[in-house]
Amino acid sequence: MAQKPAAMAAKKLSSCNLTAALRQEQDAGAALLLFLNPPNATPSSPFRHCLRCYDLIISKLASARLFQDMESILSRLPPTDASHGPGPRENLLCRVVSAYGRARLPAAACRAFAHPAFPEPRTAHALNTLLHALLDCRSPLRDLLAVCRDAGIPANASTYNILMRAAAASGSLEHTRNLFDEMLSLGIAPTVETFGTLVAALCDAGQLEEAFEVKEAMVRQHDVPPNAHVYTSLVKGLCQRGEVDAAVRLKDEMVHKAELLQNSAVYGALVRALFRAGRRGEADGLLEELKVRGIVPHRDRVVYNAMVAGLCEDERDPSAAFAVLDDMQKCGCKPTAVTYSMLVAGLCKLGRWQDAIELVKDMPKRGCAPDVVTSRMLFDGLCAAGEFHEANTVLGDMVVMGFAPSKDGARKFVEGIEKEGDAVLLESVLCRLAKMNVLESSGWEKAVSGVLNDPAELRIEKQLASIRSA
């Protein structure tokens, strides 16, 4: 562990020593204290921080989202000679912009891009970093295009890739195509990512024939071989159209390209499609094929989760889904909350809510704590089964974990208790849900008006009035 400032007081730090200490310090607050108060620094002999020191402390503060402190340090950056070009400061600028993007702060990312601490001119690399940050923030395409226009920096392939992703994310196939055509007209060579975005957009729009034409053109005209993303989009598109046999043939086309098969998303899409087509045996065969090829997805759980989902939807006996769960663990593929959520939903659908409760209780022992989705699945399943007292117990567990039911789930819960006429439980539930802010005021009034016992009704109204005024 790095030495703290008090322990280093007897040592005179050089800029190199301080850099090493900052690199080792894991706590951003302690690193900031060390940066601001290096040992032996005095007003008459101030410490001269090197650029690497600034780089480290700003990066640490950005990662910790201590943005106010980060901005304060940025204002301390010494001036630099713009004639030397962007140099290492551009890398720092990109880290700051990316940090704001991860924090979903688009305006701050734009301000950082124009920060005077970083010399002009900006490069395409810096512009693309800002565009990527805005894409992370779900900024609309028009905002990204405005940034490009205002920056006045020549675009490159990465610029267009980001813009096309933004257009595709907005659901505009027309804009995606226009950007691709504009890219070609400027003589910018498209990359495999460019084609992947265009193919995915075409598949999402149901234009599979054109998507396959793009796949052929990328090889024939541009000498760019399709990657796993291209194949996965096409396979998913075929599966959604119900053309499972064509999807299987396309998967077989990838067999001689071992590096593409490392991505198991293709297998996951096929498994779901085969289950929907009532071809469970072939789905089992795909999982075995993965194992034979030595591509058991111990990191990518897509195939196993697809098997669990299919079995939960297809089987009246969930034992097969639990067998897949056991197989996951034997193969070193740790199930996630998504896996358990599907099992919980399947059990509740079969009316085996007690088994679903036990499974959720057992999750921590299996190395996976329930998340909000799993908890809501169980809560909603119990409400659907009319087991409102059990649902109330699960609600209490959710409160302890910091989770809340959805507003729709809360509404159905209250309506179910109201129909049972249990005024005592209704009083307790209304107050709890009101504190969690998951029940609309109309739901309060509707529930209160349906209570049969007048004194209880008045007591509930008093409780709700106190909550509203709090």
Side-chain angles (χ1 to χ4, degrees):
M1 183 175 176
Q3 293 174 311
K4 299 299 179 185
M8 303 174 76
K11 293 185 179 180
K12 183 173 178 62
L13 284 186
S14 66
S15 186
C16 183
N17 295 143
L18 182 59
T19 298
L22 289 172
R23 185 180 292 110
Q24 295 175 26
E25 179 56 66
Q26 300 300 311
D27 182 85
L32 176 62
L33 184 61
L34 179 58
F35 179 89
L36 294 174
N37 302 284
N40 303 108
T42 64
S44 60
S45 179
F47 191 89
R48 293 177 63 84
H49 296 87
C50 67
L51 182 59
R52 185 58 181 149
C53 287
Y54 279 99
D55 191 321
L56 284 167
I57 189 60
I58 289 172
S59 297
K60 285 181 178 291
L61 293 171
S63 296
R65 299 193 178 185
L66 298 174
F67 294 124
Q68 187 173 354
D69 291 325
M70 182 193 75
E71 292 284 351
S72 176
I73 298 299
L74 279 174
S75 67
R76 293 168 172 254
L77 266 172
T80 187
D81 186 354
S83 65
H84 292 161
R89 288 207 180 188
E90 182 179 72
N91 294 329
L92 179 57
L93 163 66
C94 292
R95 278 194 287 277
V96 171
V97 169
S98 296
Y100 278 128
R102 288 191 297 272
R104 304 293 188 266
L105 297 170
C110 291
R111 288 197 303 271
F113 181 75
H115 201 289
F118 304 103
E120 299 283 354
R122 298 288 183 261
T123 66
H125 174 57
L127 171 63
N128 293 339
T129 300
L130 175 58
L131 293 176
H132 199 281
L134 295 176
L135 187 64
D136 285 344
C137 296
R138 310 289 193 272
S139 297
L141 176 62
R142 64 174 179 274
D143 288 357
L144 275 67
L145 292 172
V147 165
C148 291
R149 182 184 64 249
D150 296 341
I153 300 169
N156 58 19
S158 295
T159 310
Y160 275 97
N161 288 341
I162 298 169
L163 293 174
M164 287 178 63
R165 285 172 57 196
S170 72
S172 175
L173 178 58
E174 180 183 1
H175 282 125
T176 307
R177 280 175 169 153
N178 290 342
L179 287 164
F180 179 74
D181 293 340
E182 181 181 309
M183 184 179 184
L184 295 181
S185 69
L186 293 173
I188 299 174
T191 66
V192 68
E193 183 181 347
T194 313
F195 288 111
T197 301
L198 181 57
V199 167
L202 288 165
C203 290
D204 289 342
Q207 301 189 22
L208 285 182
E209 290 75 17
E210 188 175 347
F212 274 98
E213 289 174 6
V214 171
K215 171 181 173 286
E216 296 304 317
M218 65 185 289
V219 177
R220 187 176 61 254
Q221 299 176 15
H222 300 275
D223 195 28
V224 178
N227 62 3
H229 181 207
V230 172
Y231 276 102
T232 301
S233 297
L234 292 168
V235 167
K236 286 182 177 178
L238 289 169
C239 289
Q240 288 170 357
R241 191 181 278 189
E243 299 180 25
V244 182
D245 291 330
V248 172
R249 288 194 297 271
L250 189 59
K251 183 269 299 180
D252 291 339
E253 184 182 311
M254 301 170 62
V255 168
H256 67 286
K257 303 174 183 178
E259 72 281 1
L260 299 183
L261 290 176
Q262 297 298 324
N263 186 316
S264 58
V266 167
Y267 283 86
L270 281 172
V271 165
R272 294 306 305 272
L274 288 167
F275 269 107
R276 283 194 289 268
R279 295 158 61 173
R280 176 190 162 179
E282 292 177 65
D284 291 334
L286 282 178
L287 184 56
E288 291 305 312
E289 180 181 323
L290 275 174
K291 294 178 182 179
V292 169
R293 296 185 184 281
I295 317 172
V296 176
H298 57 278
R299 291 180 304 275
D300 190 345
R301 302 167 181 85
V302 172
V303 178
Y304 278 116
N305 283 347
M307 289 290 297
V308 169
L311 290 166
C312 286
E313 293 172 1
D314 185 61
E315 295 287 308
R316 290 197 171 276
D317 181 0
S319 58
F322 278 97
V324 172
L325 183 68
D326 293 337
D327 190 41
M328 284 181 76
Q329 294 169 319
K330 289 176 183 176
C331 291
C333 181
K334 184 179 177 181
T336 65
V338 173
T339 315
Y340 287 106
S341 294
M342 291 185 292
L343 283 166
V344 167
L347 289 169
C348 289
K349 184 178 178 181
L350 294 172
R352 296 177 56 171
W353 52 266
Q354 191 60 54
D355 290 335
I357 291 174
E358 293 303 318
L359 179 60
V360 172
K361 288 180 179 178
D362 199 40
M363 283 178 63
K365 297 177 185 177
R366 294 172 176 258
C368 180
D371 67 359
V372 63
V373 175
T374 312
S375 301
R376 284 180 175 179
M377 285 282 189
L378 180 57
F379 179 80
D380 292 347
L382 290 169
C383 289
E387 299 293 336
F388 299 111
H389 285 271
E390 292 289 349
N392 189 47
T393 301
V394 171
L395 179 63
D397 294 336
M398 291 174 70
V399 171
V400 172
M401 292 185 287
F403 304 149
S406 65
K407 290 193 175 183
D408 185 57
R411 177 181 56 78
K412 291 179 180 177
F413 183 39
V414 170
E415 287 176 354
I417 298 171
E418 178 192 357
K419 287 179 182 177
E420 288 193 345
D422 190 333
V424 175
L425 179 58
L426 181 60
E427 176 184 358
S428 170
V429 163
L430 281 174
C431 293
R432 182 182 293 173
L433 293 176
K435 290 177 182 178
M436 299 168 75
N437 195 32
V438 292
L439 188 64
E440 303 290 348
S441 58
S442 59
W444 291 342
E445 302 302 333
K446 184 174 181 290
V448 168
S449 64
V451 179
L452 301 178
N453 188 307
D454 288 342
E457 177 179 343
L458 294 173
R459 189 166 63 252
I460 294 171
E461 290 219 49
K462 289 179 64 178
Q463 292 263 21
L464 293 176
S466 66
I467 292 170
R468 291 189 183 113
S469 62

